[in-house]
Amino acid sequence: MLCQFERVIFPRDAAASTSGFMIAVYKPCGTLRDAAGQILDRFKAVGYCLPTSNKVKYRMEGHWSKTQKHGIQFEVERYEEVITPTKDGIIAYLASGQIRGIGKKTAEKIYETFGQETLQILDQEPRKLLTVKGISEKKLRKIIDSYLANRGARDVIAFLAPHGVTPNRAVKLYREYGEETMDIVRNHPYRLCELAGIAFKTADKLAMSMGIDPLSPERVDEALLYTLTDAEGKGHLCLEKHDFLKACLKLLDTVGMTEDMAAARAVRLIQDGKLVSYGDSVFKSKTARTEESLAYEIVRKMHGSVAEYPHLDYAIDQEERKLGFRLAPEQREAVKMGLTQKLCVITGGPGTGKTSVQKALLDLYKERYPAAKIACCAPTGKAARRMEQATGVRASTVHRALGLMANEDGQYGDPEMLEADLVLVDEVSMLDVYLAEKLFRSVADKSRLILVGDSDQLPSVGPGAVLKEIIASGLVPVVRLDQVFRQKNGSRIAANAKLIRHGNLSLEYGSDFEFYDSTDLSVSAEIIESLYLQETAKYGIDNVVLLSPYRQKTETGANALNQRLQGKINPPMDGKSDAVHGQRRFRTGDKVMQIKNCEDINNGDIGYIKSITGTQSDSVVRIDFGDGRIVDYENSDLDMLDLGYACTVHKSQGSEYKSVIINLQCAHSVMLVRPLIYTAITRAKEKVLIVGERRALCTSIRRIDTEQRGTKLAQRIHDFSS
């Protein structure tokens, strides 16, 4: 039937819907009668990703149904726009609001350029739109994605939406496979797992609905591969062979499937080069290549000599006079090591003098080699700025130093060579295997490479345990700084960090390290709110952070606390605009955190919303990240942002604040391990305030991270060295 959109019944914000399911009202363009012969001037339609522009007519196909609760409704199976093939018709369609990035003026320019071929260009050669004045690469991507969602990918979206695949994910699938997409979806559904974000269970549900044999080789193969993909999401690069097969069988959950059958398919995948067996473990081939490449680069960096530093002890004595204090023996050893080794590691907790070592080392290197190039970097922008302030040497993020830009899936391309004579990297515990491999591969043969970090912190968010494995290899020179140098005011933070590292429950409490006992989540949230307002009033919002083990699930999870604090710190008022995306609501002035790598904005970067233009559901949000990076986000991009008043402990890595508020409840028990509480309190420079249960604190300190990450980096380093 031919019809025109009138209004959406469900959901209230169709643009922010994650499932794609909709109920809408349409007006028939002609006479439409119900079963009783009555003329209908409107009808209710249900389906996925229904059209919502009132400037275009649609031809819908489907069937009528009747339910006791909802009455008669039209179930839409497919639809298409009815575009009048005239200048006015094509311009009206382009400017209808269905295609993001094209307004009336841009639509007219496009038609002036391509005329009657406009829709053909959009379908087959969209990059030609770059010849139209005002259309940039960034705008073109938005136009293409939106056009695909409205035309080329529509059938894919409608087919996959009932199975839990979001419209955005379906568009990415269509972009990857093009016209073959529906054939792949119908006949090879397990290939959907090749696209990041589509889980095996989703593809499996689709496959089962099509009658695929539960014991088919295709299903078992994809389960084996996905088992390792899932493990990588938990930090593992590999799994022990028996554990690998057990996990796969659990995922398949199929009567008649045995470990021997799964092992036979695993052998076949190894023969085909999709899996790699190394020692007693199994890797995906890409992961194995990355870890092997990193091990090779580490060993290669250890070889070769560096020029001697004459009279080094005397030079360090002179540097101590400039600094105004004497270095401890292990600090002095660390400075010497950095100036005499090609590759080395300096590790230690807070207050052990890592920063002093870096400053002394760089001062002495610049004095000896005034023309040499120095590259200082860290995984996060905050850590890099702190490094620069402490050493006086310009520093950047690792990503920026290597020229890494993330694509729309958050993946990075190849790095640039790092042209420097000395490379100093701080917060190395945050480097996952992929970023570490790019870094080591980019460091020139002539360069010295000094790695600084705290191996007792939480491991990287990404897979691997790079710093721990390098130290565990026993082949790379390492100095561990263990002596705590208290600040003049007698700070207990560094002292308590050392106690926690050794599993000692006898923490010292006082004005700079306080505990607020609360077993009730609601009461805890109230205390946290009060403390946050108190501390931000004293130190400023940039110098205070609220940390929780969880993002969701409880009243004291980061998400709930963010919404609570937003209402206090940045309440709605005249002149402040809002932007809404799903459950997220952002307001002019809000502190926000990037949660996905995109171009030169990295996961964990903090910024502030400077302006919001447009409507709540169709807006442009401008964010200032504080170092010259000002970025505009459209509504569909807002899933890359969270409010930044509270965050998880993992997200706080690499950052430092004057005051840190930490929530610890027994309800968070699954997350409570020693590296988590250690990492949380070591974010603080002046004050730690813990809210929650003492039993939760004791659990955190007692419980070491029992599940060691699956990685063979240390073993590979040995293999390349022998």
Side-chain angles (χ1 to χ4, degrees):
M1 77 180 79
L2 193 65
C3 60
Q4 204 159 7
F5 169 77
E6 185 171 275
R7 62 189 172 89
V8 171
I9 297 175
F10 176 86
R12 289 183 180 178
D13 182 5
S17 172
T18 55
S19 71
F21 179 75
M22 295 173 63
I23 304 172
V25 174
Y26 294 86
K27 293 184 295 183
C29 299
T31 303
L32 179 68
R33 297 179 185 273
D34 63 15
Q38 297 293 317
I39 294 176
L40 300 177
D41 60 353
R42 281 162 181 72
F43 68 93
K44 184 168 61 176
V46 298
Y48 289 87
C49 304
L50 297 178
T52 58
S53 173
N54 56 15
K55 299 177 182 178
V56 179
K57 293 179 181 179
Y58 303 97
R59 181 170 285 110
M60 288 186 169
E61 296 178 13
H63 63 276
W64 294 97
S65 65
K66 184 177 181 179
T67 66
Q68 188 172 359
K69 183 176 181 181
H70 301 292
I72 295 174
Q73 53 193 21
F74 188 73
E75 296 190 14
V76 180
E77 294 168 359
R78 66 182 306 275
Y79 70 86
E80 63 180 5
E81 297 95 344
V82 178
I83 304 169
T84 308
T86 62
K87 176 181 178 179
D88 289 343
I90 292 172
I91 290 175
Y93 167 67
L94 294 179
S96 66
Q98 294 186 105
I99 306 175
R100 290 170 50 220
I102 299 182
K104 182 77 182 300
K105 290 183 179 178
T106 303
E108 290 172 348
K109 289 179 186 177
I110 292 172
Y111 187 85
E112 287 170 8
T113 305
F114 301 112
Q116 291 294 308
E117 296 181 357
T118 294
L119 297 182
Q120 184 180 338
I121 294 294
L122 275 167
D123 276 325
Q124 300 174 13
E125 302 175 279
R127 290 197 63 78
K128 284 189 175 181
L129 293 180
L130 289 171
T131 62
V132 177
K133 187 176 180 181
I135 296 183
S136 62
E137 282 279 1
K138 186 173 182 179
K139 180 175 274 191
L140 177 64
R141 286 201 302 272
K142 292 175 181 175
I143 291 171
I144 291 173
D145 284 354
S146 186
Y147 186 72
L148 284 175
N150 279 282
R151 290 184 69 81
R154 182 186 302 142
D155 291 344
V156 180
I157 292 170
F159 190 83
L160 291 177
H163 298 280
V165 178
T166 65
N168 285 345
R169 194 62 65 187
V171 168
K172 289 180 180 178
L173 187 68
Y174 186 85
R175 188 190 303 117
E176 182 159 337
Y177 295 119
E179 293 180 1
E180 298 178 27
T181 306
M182 283 307 298
D183 176 65
I184 290 168
V185 166
R186 287 194 172 104
N187 300 312
H188 305 284
Y190 290 108
R191 285 186 64 185
L192 297 180
C193 295
E194 297 171 18
L195 185 68
I198 294 184
F200 175 82
K201 290 290 187 184
T202 300
D204 198 41
K205 179 182 174 185
L206 189 60
M208 292 298 101
S209 71
M210 295 175 186
I212 289 180
D213 184 354
L215 296 176
S216 68
E218 183 182 12
R219 180 172 186 255
V220 179
D221 288 356
E222 196 54 56
L224 288 163
L225 292 168
Y226 188 80
T227 296
L228 288 171
T229 300
D230 185 57
E232 190 169 318
K234 299 170 184 173
H236 304 290
L237 299 175
C238 59
L239 291 174
E240 187 274 329
K241 291 176 181 176
H242 182 63
D243 291 341
F244 168 55
L245 294 174
K246 278 177 57 181
C248 179
L249 290 179
K250 183 177 179 181
L251 179 66
L252 287 166
D253 190 23
T254 301
V255 176
M257 173 59 62
T258 67
E259 193 169 306
D260 286 344
M261 292 166 66
R265 292 309 307 173
V267 169
R268 186 60 179 266
L269 290 174
I270 290 170
Q271 292 170 346
D272 292 344
K274 293 183 178 180
L275 294 181
V276 172
S277 174
Y278 180 77
D280 62 354
S281 297
V282 182
F283 293 74
K284 289 181 74 173
S285 56
K286 176 190 173 184
T287 313
R289 286 196 303 270
T290 302
E291 188 180 67
E292 184 177 32
S293 172
L294 175 56
Y296 171 77
E297 293 294 338
I298 289 170
V299 172
R300 191 167 67 86
K301 294 292 183 291
M302 289 191 293
H303 292 157
S305 58
V306 294
E308 287 188 15
Y309 197 117
H311 312 297
L312 182 51
D313 280 309
Y314 175 76
I316 293 175
D317 291 342
Q318 295 297 106
E319 176 65 18
E320 287 177 336
R321 291 189 182 93
K322 293 178 187 175
L323 293 173
F325 60 84
R326 293 186 65 81
L327 296 170
E330 64 264 31
Q331 289 179 301
R332 193 179 184 94
E333 182 187 351
V335 172
K336 284 184 176 181
M337 181 180 68
L339 293 170
T340 57
Q341 298 291 334
K342 199 82 182 292
L343 170 66
C344 65
V345 173
I346 300 168
T347 185
T352 57
K354 295 193 299 295
T355 300
S356 299
V357 168
Q358 290 182 60
K359 177 162 179 55
L361 198 156
L362 291 172
D363 285 350
L364 290 165
Y365 185 81
K366 286 187 293 181
E367 185 178 296
R368 175 65 178 155
Y369 306 104
K373 293 181 180 178
I374 297 173
C376 291
C377 54
T380 67
K382 280 205 167 188
R385 287 192 291 275
R386 195 171 71 243
M387 192 181 190
E388 185 171 318
Q389 292 164 1
T391 64
V393 178
R394 189 171 178 274
S396 72
T397 63
V398 175
H399 302 86
R400 182 165 288 189
L402 302 183
L404 293 173
M405 298 283 282
N407 62 23
E408 59 196 16
D409 290 323
Q411 304 298 310
Y412 294 105
D414 289 328
E416 299 172 359
M417 286 302 295
L418 196 52
E419 297 297 334
D421 300 288
L422 182 144
V423 179
L424 177 61
V425 189
D426 199 3
E427 298 286 358
V428 177
S429 64
M430 295 182 66
L431 294 182
D432 63 32
V433 71
Y434 294 112
L435 184 56
E437 190 270 342
K438 291 180 188 297
L439 171 66
F440 271 80
R441 185 155 44 93
S442 300
V443 174
D445 290 343
K446 65 176 183 178
S447 303
R448 305 169 195 243
L449 178 56
I450 302 167
L451 308 175
V452 181
D454 186 347
S455 59
D456 293 307
Q457 282 190 32
L458 284 168
S460 56
V461 174
V466 174
L467 181 59
K468 282 187 176 180
E469 287 287 293
I470 290 175
I471 294 171
S473 74
L475 296 175
V476 178
V478 176
V479 169
R480 177 180 283 278
L481 306 177
D482 197 47
Q483 182 180 344
V484 173
F485 301 95
R486 286 177 177 264
Q487 299 172 355
K488 288 181 181 177
N489 62 2
S491 169
R492 297 168 179 83
I493 297 168
N496 282 338
K498 185 174 181 179
L499 291 171
I500 289 171
R501 186 157 58 81
H502 292 291
N504 192 328
L505 300 177
S506 303
L507 305 186
E508 300 178 27
Y509 296 94
S511 59
D512 60 346
F513 200 99
E514 300 180 39
F515 191 95
Y516 293 80
D517 210 333
S518 171
T519 58
D520 184 277
L521 293 175
S522 298
V523 173
S524 294
E526 290 175 6
I527 295 171
I528 288 167
E529 177 190 306
S530 175
L531 289 174
Y532 191 86
L533 296 175
Q534 167 192 299
E535 296 301 286
T536 51
K538 181 177 180 180
Y539 294 108
I541 196 167
D542 282 331
N543 294 312
V544 179
V545 70
L546 169 54
L547 302 180
S548 177
Y550 269 126
R551 280 185 65 190
Q552 303 179 36
K553 295 189 178 181
T554 72
E555 293 173 74
T556 54
N559 288 357
L561 290 171
N562 263 320
Q563 291 179 12
R564 185 180 186 120
L565 293 173
Q566 181 192 43
K568 296 293 181 180
I569 298 290
N570 191 31
M573 62 177 61
D574 291 342
K576 283 189 177 182
S577 301
D578 282 13
V580 179
H581 181 78
Q583 299 299 312
R584 295 175 168 90
R585 178 179 292 273
F586 300 98
R587 187 169 297 131
T588 305
D590 270 335
K591 180 180 182 180
V592 293
M593 174 183 282
Q594 183 86 4
I595 58 173
K596 178 183 176 184
N597 297 320
C598 184
E599 296 182 354
D600 66 339
I601 310 299
N602 301 315
N603 190 343
D605 283 354
I606 296 288
Y608 286 88
I609 296 177
K610 293 301 177 186
S611 66
I612 298 176
T613 55
T615 64
Q616 278 192 356
S617 59
D618 184 19
S619 52
V620 175
V621 179
R622 175 159 292 181
I623 299 173
D624 186 350
F625 286 93
D627 52 2
R629 294 175 299 164
I630 298 176
V631 183
D632 288 342
Y633 291 72
E634 293 193 358
N635 262 79
S636 59
D637 303 323
L638 295 180
D639 59 356
M640 296 190 292
L641 294 174
D642 264 343
L643 291 171
Y645 306 107
C647 70
T648 63
V649 179
H650 284 83
K651 288 287 187 185
S652 73
Q653 286 180 269
S655 299
E656 194 173 71
Y657 303 87
K658 288 185 177 179
S659 179
V660 172
I661 304 166
I662 305 164
N663 176 245
L664 290 176
Q665 308 281 169
C666 291
H668 304 150
S669 61
V670 69
M671 300 293 292
L672 300 181
V673 292
R674 188 181 300 167
L676 181 128
I677 184 61
Y678 177 84
T679 301
I681 74 160
T682 55
R683 301 308 92 209
K685 291 192 290 186
E686 296 183 17
K687 189 185 289 188
V688 169
L689 304 170
I690 302 175
V691 178
E693 300 173 68
R694 289 194 182 274
R695 186 156 58 95
L697 175 59
C698 293
T699 298
S700 299
I701 297 171
R702 285 197 186 103
R703 189 193 291 166
I704 59 173
D705 198 355
T706 53
E707 186 180 28
Q708 296 300 312
R709 289 194 163 188
T711 170
K712 296 294 180 182
L713 181 59
Q715 185 176 329
R716 290 186 194 272
I717 293 171
H718 273 278
D719 288 350
F720 278 116
S721 299
S722 57

